[in-house]
Amino acid sequence: MQPADSRHERGTTGGQVTDGGLMRDLRKALMQRMLGAELTEHLGYEHGEVAPPVQTNRRNGVSRKTVKSEDGAFELAVPRDREGSFEPRLIGKGQTRIDGLDDKIIAMYARGMSVRDIRGHLEELYGLEVSPDLISRVTDAVLDEVKEWRSRALDAVYPVVIFDALRVKIRDKDSRIVKNKAVYLALGITGEGEREVLGLWIAENEGAKFWLSVMTELRNRGVQDILIAVVDGLKGFPEAITAAFPQTMVQTCVVHLVRHSLNFCSWKDRKAVAAKLREVYVAETAEAAWDALEAFDADWGRQYPSIAQAWRRAWQEVIPFFAFSPEIRRIIYTTKAIESLNRIIRKAIKTRGSFPSEDAAEKLIYLAIRGHEKTSRTVRGWLTAVNQFAIMFEDRFKPIQG
């Protein structure tokens, strides 16, 4: 029979944690192993090994300590040393409350680790055999947070909302076939100049009906007006926006339009084509921009006729851009904010070949958004831009006085 301190250092029998004790058992077993690992590091030799001859300090049993967590109280056996020099970092002297183990599991999940990865990580580092269902239950708790986040009240007016999409492979609930579905994001800029993700929606195919439901949801959550909506030429989207928000100015995302244009030309011509297109969107007025587009077509139209055609088709959603000052143009032209968010989401999902369900995809994407929003959210140059908004939309937008 093993001595008491050995059993407690090693955690539960065989390191097995199942749904019976759920989070409390997991916390206790993991903490016991981590405390044992801390003492091993402090003493310099593994438990069960003979201490080096020069080593005077030794293990000296355990002391009992009751700690409280969000899942209830439990008793820990804190290992001791003979000299009394060991002070565990995991739970300090006088500390009686420990929380956040489930947050650590969720953090691993948010970094793109699968349930299998998390399970292997806990087993490799701490010798814990954690049931996949337990880890799924912990991460499923995020779904309640997602539901609350998706239904939260929004501001009445957003000066700018950028709509974008990325593709994710998700197993269809009915057919069980993995499909390439779109995740649509709405990134709003508040009256205070703060970036805020308003929501995410997953759909296999977009269309006017789908986009109208998105706009209706935003209205139901308190949005009364959007001054400028920046979109990626999505089918039926401008009509859906103006149906819900009749006064909203719909602006095609210039960056996406440029990228779409460059898809038509060869690699060797891309730099020259991009430089010529820049003359279009940096023009002072819509008339000057049209002249620049005609000049572009004269230079490149025979070789790449589809580019100018694409710009002409989108022209009604391009020209609002030219009515704004450079400060506002900079905000609605650049897509760094939404692209930074997309980059973080792609980093989280890149290790997944596909998701077993929309819920699984939604959990991970939400966690990526949550992590992203903890960083700086303030739009640069907002003070100058907000004054321009107040002048241009004086009957619809009043800047908040700081």
Side-chain angles (χ1 to χ4, degrees):
M1 187 173 179
Q2 292 177 336
D5 62 334
S6 173
R7 290 199 308 274
H8 283 296
E9 266 192 42
R10 292 173 182 268
T12 56
T13 304
Q16 179 72 30
V17 179
T18 61
D19 291 338
L22 204 60
M23 281 309 303
R24 185 167 55 186
D25 277 358
L26 177 59
R27 265 198 186 84
K28 181 175 180 178
L30 183 53
M31 289 184 69
Q32 292 289 182
R33 289 186 177 276
M34 293 174 76
L35 287 168
E38 281 195 47
L39 182 59
T40 293
E41 181 185 18
H42 179 73
L43 296 177
Y45 69 96
E46 295 287 343
H47 186 276
E49 292 181 353
V50 177
V54 295
Q55 172 74 316
T56 58
N57 201 5
R58 299 284 194 278
R59 285 174 167 78
N60 189 33
V62 298
S63 60
R64 308 285 174 177
K65 184 172 189 175
T66 299
V67 294
K68 296 176 182 178
S69 76
E70 57 203 54
D71 300 302
F74 57 87
E75 188 180 78
L76 283 176
V78 182
R80 301 180 302 197
D81 63 332
R82 288 182 182 176
E83 296 178 356
S85 58
F86 174 56
E87 293 187 12
R89 297 184 297 271
L90 181 64
I91 181 162
K93 290 182 178 179
Q95 184 179 349
T96 59
R97 184 163 187 89
I98 187 75
D99 289 316
L101 184 59
D102 47 352
D103 288 337
K104 290 180 176 62
I105 291 177
I106 289 171
M108 285 189 277
Y109 188 86
R111 291 188 182 98
M113 294 176 69
S114 66
V115 170
R116 180 183 296 177
D117 293 335
I118 296 170
R119 190 183 183 200
H121 185 76
L122 293 175
E123 186 172 359
E124 181 181 349
L125 288 186
Y126 307 114
L128 286 173
E129 296 178 18
V130 182
S131 71
D133 186 53
L134 187 149
I135 296 173
S136 293
R137 281 188 174 185
V138 172
T139 58
D140 280 348
V142 176
L143 289 174
D144 291 334
E145 192 176 331
V146 173
K147 185 177 180 181
E148 183 178 343
W149 175 79
R150 290 185 61 174
S151 60
R152 76 194 189 282
L154 299 175
D155 290 354
V157 179
Y158 285 90
V160 180
V161 178
I162 303 169
F163 295 91
D164 200 15
L166 52 90
R167 292 282 171 176
V168 177
K169 295 183 183 299
I170 301 174
R171 189 176 299 279
D172 187 71
K173 181 173 61 175
D174 299 321
S175 66
R176 308 305 298 162
I177 297 172
V178 174
K179 296 185 176 180
N180 207 19
K181 296 191 176 183
V183 178
Y184 298 99
L185 302 169
L187 179 67
I189 298 176
T190 70
E192 295 88 348
E194 297 286 322
R195 300 184 185 94
E196 176 189 2
V197 180
L198 309 185
L200 69 90
W201 300 267
I202 298 176
E204 188 174 343
N205 296 300
E206 80 275 0
K209 187 175 181 181
F210 168 76
W211 285 119
L212 186 57
S213 71
V214 170
M215 295 300 109
T216 302
E217 179 186 316
L218 294 178
R219 287 201 71 94
N220 290 340
R221 290 168 57 196
V223 180
Q224 297 174 16
D225 195 6
I226 297 171
L227 304 184
I228 305 168
V230 183
V231 301
D232 181 21
L234 297 165
K235 185 179 179 181
F237 204 1
E239 296 80 6
I241 293 173
T242 53
F245 302 101
Q247 297 184 81
T248 296
M249 190 177 291
V250 180
Q251 169 70 51
T252 289
C253 176
V254 174
V255 170
H256 280 91
L257 191 54
V258 171
R259 286 180 181 169
H260 175 71
S261 301
L262 296 180
N263 288 335
F264 292 109
C265 64
S266 64
W267 281 100
K268 66 181 179 65
D269 292 332
R270 284 192 169 196
K271 188 173 182 180
V273 168
K276 194 67 176 175
L277 282 174
R278 190 175 187 277
E279 297 177 10
V280 178
Y281 59 82
V282 299
E284 290 293 326
T285 64
E287 292 76 14
W290 182 263
D291 291 341
L293 181 61
E294 292 292 298
F296 172 88
D297 201 21
D299 289 348
W300 292 98
R302 180 170 296 181
Q303 192 170 355
Y304 303 118
S306 298
I307 295 179
Q309 290 173 13
W311 281 75
R312 290 188 181 107
R313 283 195 302 270
W315 197 248
Q316 290 305 309
E317 281 75 49
V318 171
I319 55 177
F321 182 79
F322 299 103
F324 301 119
S325 66
E327 292 79 15
I328 296 179
R329 281 196 195 189
R330 197 173 298 115
I331 292 170
I332 62 177
Y333 160 72
T334 180
T335 57
K336 284 184 180 178
I338 195 84
E339 297 211 355
S340 173
L341 174 61
N342 284 346
R343 187 164 55 250
I344 288 172
I345 293 173
R346 288 191 180 98
K347 183 178 179 181
I349 66 177
K350 71 177 181 180
T351 57
R352 308 293 180 91
S354 63
F355 287 93
S357 65
E358 289 188 5
D359 280 350
E362 206 168 60
K363 280 191 296 184
L364 188 56
I365 293 168
Y366 166 74
L367 289 170
I369 291 171
R370 190 176 72 174
H372 177 71
E373 289 195 332
K374 290 178 182 178
T375 61
S376 176
R377 296 166 56 187
T378 305
V379 175
R380 292 181 62 182
W382 181 250
L383 184 60
T384 304
V386 77
N387 291 328
Q388 297 286 337
F389 277 115
I391 294 170
M392 295 184 69
F393 303 96
E394 59 179 343
D395 57 333
R396 296 163 58 196
F397 176 70
K398 302 294 181 186
I400 296 174
Q401 302 297 322

